[in-house]
Amino acid sequence: MKFSSSSLLAVSATATAVAAVSLPAIEVVGNKFYYSNNGTQFYLKGIAYQADTAVAGSGQSFVDPLGDIDTCKRDLPYLKSLNTNTLRVYAINTTLDHDDCMNLFAENDIYVIADLSQPSESINRDDPTWSVELYKRYTDVVDAMHGYTNVLGFFAGNEVTNNNTNTDASPFVKAAVRDMKSYIKEKDYRAIPVGYSTNDDADTRVQMADYFNCGDDADRVDFYGINMYEWCGSSTFEKSGYADRTDEFKNLTVPVFFSEYGCNEVRPRQFSEVAALYSDDMTDVWSGGIVYMYYEEANNYGLVSISDNKVQTLSDFNNLSKAMATISPSIRASSDASIPSGTFQCPASTQSDWKASPSLPPTPNDDLCACMTQSLGCIVAADVDEDDYADLFSWVCDQVSCDGINADGAKGTYGAYAFCSSAEKLSYVLNLYYLSQKSSSSACDSDGKAQIVNKPSAPAGCSSALSQAGSVGTGNVVAAVTGISRSTTLGGSISGGSAVAKTTTSKSSAGSSAAAGESAAASTSGKKNSAGVVTVAGGLVAAVAAFAALI
Ligand SMILES: *[C@@H]1O[C@H](CO)[C@@H](O)[C@H](O)[C@H]1NC(C)=O
Ligand SMILES: *[C@@H]1O[C@H](CO)[C@@H](O)[C@H](O)[C@H]1NC(C)=O
Ligand SMILES: *[C@@H]1O[C@H](CO)[C@@H](O)[C@H](O)[C@H]1NC(C)=O
Ligand SMILES: *[C@@H]1O[C@H](CO)[C@@H](O)[C@H](O)[C@H]1NC(C)=O
Ligand SMILES: *[C@@H]1O[C@H](CO)[C@@H](O)[C@H](O)[C@H]1NC(C)=O
């Protein structure tokens, strides 16, 4: 193994500078990946790299696999001996420093694909929104990781829509793709590709791939991953389903790969699918894959087990290592790539198995939420527990139109304030009710659940946007907001998760990533906000104080 302590010292000596070690970025041309320095095709030879369980008692909800250099050093030789060139990481803690691990991996020719979500901040398939809170989480990860040239790409979601009952969640994920691509551009970062990772559901597989691949370049994915567990035990290209999948995906105009693979119904795994994946049967269409997964956990997908902080290889590891050592996929040159012309058509949204509208929700706009909040004469009371919001929503939405705070990914209709926090949305509709009752003080009381704000006033720079949003929030807001200063006003300070009950998702039958990033309900606590964002209650107290100051 190439691992030596002197090279590690060299790495840590340079670790304070981001991207001190630079690998050529990987770029997308047509439906393949290439090294940007020389146009040689790049195949993912990947490993899913994230401990699946939270560390009990550590206070962390997940363990960032790139946050601790000793762990990265410990694992590097094992990753190298599997010929790994890509790690998939499911959840990044943006407050940690990633220089050491990223540079260590860069020096060893290893790229990283990072999911942008984390377990408690991801798009919830049962109540999907693309919210201010999630936008902040996603951009925080982009900000934290963009400087490393060995970031191969980002996943804007993992298995959010997972069958034909929740295809209406996909417009929200595609909006996340769109907004991260535009954020990267706006910030003048390197053009890091943004993609999506899907489960393998027979009813929706083709429509889902087409949906994320379709439409304007600005909206569609840069690459597409499918978590694939069809080849179990000894199988063949034809028998496994790989041949059919290859046929189904051959028209896609972006790179596609297995964002997880490795069925474990027969153990130890033989990894005979590796030879097929990197053979000419598949490489016209597929760009390799990511084996699920490094760590042995209760689900028995591990390549190694860790005990006393020592790595022990399992039979799966040895078998995979042999399989990876024998592949030699055909290598193409970017100069020979064919770039498809025209726009890939989106699947119809009126199919029994596919309802996702091609019309996407708007970009979350924290300032607009702040404008709206500051214009309200009645808001949810500061001491209302967020667990009680659901009841209040259900009561008030019987009295007034809640279209301004709702979003429907099947109809393609999105309320102007649907991306705001729960407290903001609830305040908006409580205020509509108050207005409908001619601002009678008794209409902003409801057993102490709501409170009157005297002389609300949003900055003048809010007026065009608020007027475009319309009287019930169903208008299309394009006007910019000016004059909102976050340090002195409410901008972004009322925050919190969605009002739905917290749900946990189970792994797909084949057992894909239970680690972070899978669609999970936003937390209802309102207490997990990142630095600089105060809790719901604090925000409303601040709101009242700010309004009081205006009187
Ligand atoms: C292109 O560059 C990559 C990264 O440095 C290298 O691995 C690959 O071998 C190069 N291709 C050729 C044809 O030299
Ligand atoms: C991120 O890391 C910090 C510092 O170790 C820790 O306090 C925090 O809980 C972590 N966040 C998550 C979501 O695990
Ligand atoms: C669809 O997925 C959801 C969420 O995982 C699950 O609860 C539901 O049972 C699934 N429905 C069908 C028809 O498979
Ligand atoms: C791929 O494109 C061909 C030619 O347009 C078309 O006939 C075929 O149905 C497409 N396949 C899929 C799976 O979309
Ligand atoms: C996989 O590992 C098992 C147990 O070590 C071994 O018996 C088997 O021959 C290996 N398979 C391959 C394809 O190397």
Side-chain angles (χ1 to χ4, degrees):
M1 277 166 211
K2 288 192 208 156
F3 197 69
S4 76
S5 56
S6 62
S7 73
L8 289 173
L9 283 176
V11 170
S12 52
T14 55
T16 46
V18 169
V21 183
S22 171
L23 270 185
I26 301 300
E27 64 185 11
V28 170
V29 183
N31 71 342
K32 307 269 188 303
F33 292 112
Y34 301 90
Y35 288 102
S36 57
N37 57 324
N38 58 18
T40 297
Q41 191 186 355
F42 175 89
Y43 288 96
L44 284 87
K45 299 171 190 162
I47 304 287
Y49 185 58
Q50 181 129 16
D52 208 10
T53 44
V55 175
S58 72
Q60 300 177 31
S61 56
F62 57 85
V63 180
D64 183 333
L66 304 174
D68 175 37
I69 183 60
D70 293 332
T71 308
C72 294
K73 282 181 189 169
R74 180 197 69 192
D75 294 337
L76 177 69
Y78 299 93
L79 297 166
K80 289 300 287 178
S81 80
L82 295 169
N83 287 351
T84 305
N85 67 7
T86 307
L87 299 176
R88 177 175 181 181
V89 299
Y90 292 88
I92 292 285
N93 183 333
T94 56
T95 69
L96 300 181
D97 186 336
H98 300 98
D99 287 359
D100 289 350
C101 283
M102 289 305 288
N103 285 336
L104 178 70
F105 290 136
E107 190 163 78
N108 287 279
D109 301 326
I110 294 175
Y111 293 84
V112 166
I113 300 194
D115 284 71
L116 294 170
S117 56
Q118 57 107 321
S120 62
E121 289 177 305
S122 58
I123 296 170
N124 174 7
R125 64 169 77 90
D126 297 325
D127 182 25
T129 59
W130 172 228
S131 64
V132 165
E133 183 198 7
L134 288 177
Y135 182 92
K136 178 160 189 339
R137 160 69 195 175
Y138 278 38
T139 53
D140 281 351
V141 178
V142 171
D143 289 341
M145 302 304 287
H146 77 93
Y148 308 111
T149 60
N150 58 327
V151 170
L152 169 51
F154 296 115
F155 284 120
N158 180 54
E159 303 195 356
V160 180
T161 289
N162 68 344
N163 62 40
N164 63 9
T165 69
N166 48 41
T167 61
D168 61 327
S170 283
F172 299 89
V173 182
K174 198 166 170 184
V177 171
R178 173 201 66 199
D179 288 348
M180 289 311 104
K181 288 173 65 155
S182 103
Y183 181 77
I184 287 168
K185 221 178 229 167
E186 230 168 77
K187 288 284 204 170
D188 232 352
Y189 294 162
R190 173 170 68 83
I192 303 171
V194 180
Y196 178 65
S197 171
T198 182
N199 75 329
D200 179 23
D201 173 61
D203 295 334
T204 53
R205 187 166 46 218
V206 170
Q207 296 93 321
M208 187 117 63
D210 290 353
Y211 183 79
F212 281 97
N213 186 78
C214 75
D216 289 346
D217 264 347
D219 296 348
R220 66 200 208 114
V221 289
D222 296 316
F223 59 80
Y224 192 74
I226 180 166
N227 297 340
M228 170 60 59
Y229 293 89
E230 293 191 20
W231 184 308
C232 302
S234 65
S235 190
T236 65
F237 177 61
E238 297 295 340
K239 209 173 80 188
S240 62
Y242 279 20
D244 292 336
R245 303 295 83 79
T246 301
D247 197 50
E248 286 163 0
F249 280 39
K250 69 171 185 238
N251 292 351
L252 297 180
T253 55
V254 296
V256 294
F257 58 89
F258 293 171
S259 38
E260 293 175 0
Y261 73 97
C263 171
N264 70 351
E265 272 170 27
V266 181
R267 292 167 52 217
R269 293 184 283 180
Q270 307 295 319
F271 286 109
S272 49
E273 69 266 50
V274 168
L277 179 57
Y278 296 93
S279 76
D280 288 348
D281 280 339
M282 294 185 70
T283 54
D284 263 346
V285 174
W286 304 92
S287 293
I290 296 169
V291 172
Y292 188 81
M293 66 177 201
Y294 186 72
Y295 289 103
E296 178 73 341
E297 310 266 0
N299 60 12
N300 292 316
Y301 281 91
L303 301 171
V304 308
S305 64
I306 312 285
S307 107
D308 282 341
N309 202 29
K310 298 244 173 349
V311 178
Q312 187 166 14
T313 58
L314 303 173
S315 297
D316 282 15
F317 181 98
N318 299 321
N319 288 358
L320 178 62
S321 167
K322 279 187 233 156
M324 292 306 294
T326 59
I327 60 169
S328 58
S330 306
I331 304 286
R332 297 155 185 83
S334 61
S335 49
D336 297 334
S338 66
I339 317 267
S341 60
T343 307
F344 197 95
Q345 286 305 303
C346 292
S349 58
T350 49
Q351 309 171 53
S352 57
D353 286 330
W354 192 256
K355 309 252 186 288
S357 169
S359 156
L360 306 181
T363 303
N365 180 346
D366 201 6
D367 290 343
L368 180 64
C369 300
C371 284
M372 177 271 278
T373 312
Q374 292 181 45
S375 71
L376 305 179
C378 174
I379 61 175
V380 63
D383 57 0
V384 175
D385 194 297
E386 219 183 329
D387 291 343
D388 297 334
Y389 282 11
D391 287 343
L392 284 167
F393 275 119
S394 105
W395 172 78
V396 70
C397 290
D398 279 343
Q399 318 297 319
V400 296
S401 164
C402 281
D403 291 350
I405 59 166
N406 286 338
D408 186 329
K411 293 202 185 96
T413 55
Y414 307 101
Y417 304 119
F419 48 64
C420 300
S421 72
S422 299
E424 289 165 337
K425 289 191 283 193
L426 182 55
S427 295
Y428 181 71
V429 288
L430 288 172
N431 186 67
L432 283 184
Y433 176 70
Y434 176 63
L435 294 177
S436 77
Q437 302 301 305
K438 308 209 161 32
S439 302
S440 142
S441 60
S442 64
C444 184
D445 184 352
S446 348
D447 299 331
K449 301 281 199 259
Q451 63 192 57
I452 289 174
V453 177
N454 286 314
K455 301 191 186 169
S457 80
C462 290
S463 63
S464 306
L466 289 175
S467 110
Q468 284 175 354
S471 56
V472 291
T474 47
N476 180 26
V477 177
V478 293
V481 168
T482 56
I484 288 277
S485 150
R486 277 173 204 166
S487 57
T488 57
T489 74
L490 292 176
S493 67
I494 297 185
S495 186
S498 76
V500 298
K502 185 160 186 143
T503 61
T504 49
T505 54
S506 56
K507 285 171 90 71
S508 66
S509 54
S512 67
S513 64
E518 199 166 296
S519 171
S523 158
T524 57
S525 74
K527 286 179 190 140
K528 58 173 170 50
N529 306 308
S530 44
V533 180
V534 299
T535 61
V536 173
L540 286 167
V541 169
V544 175
F547 291 141
L550 292 170
I551 299 167

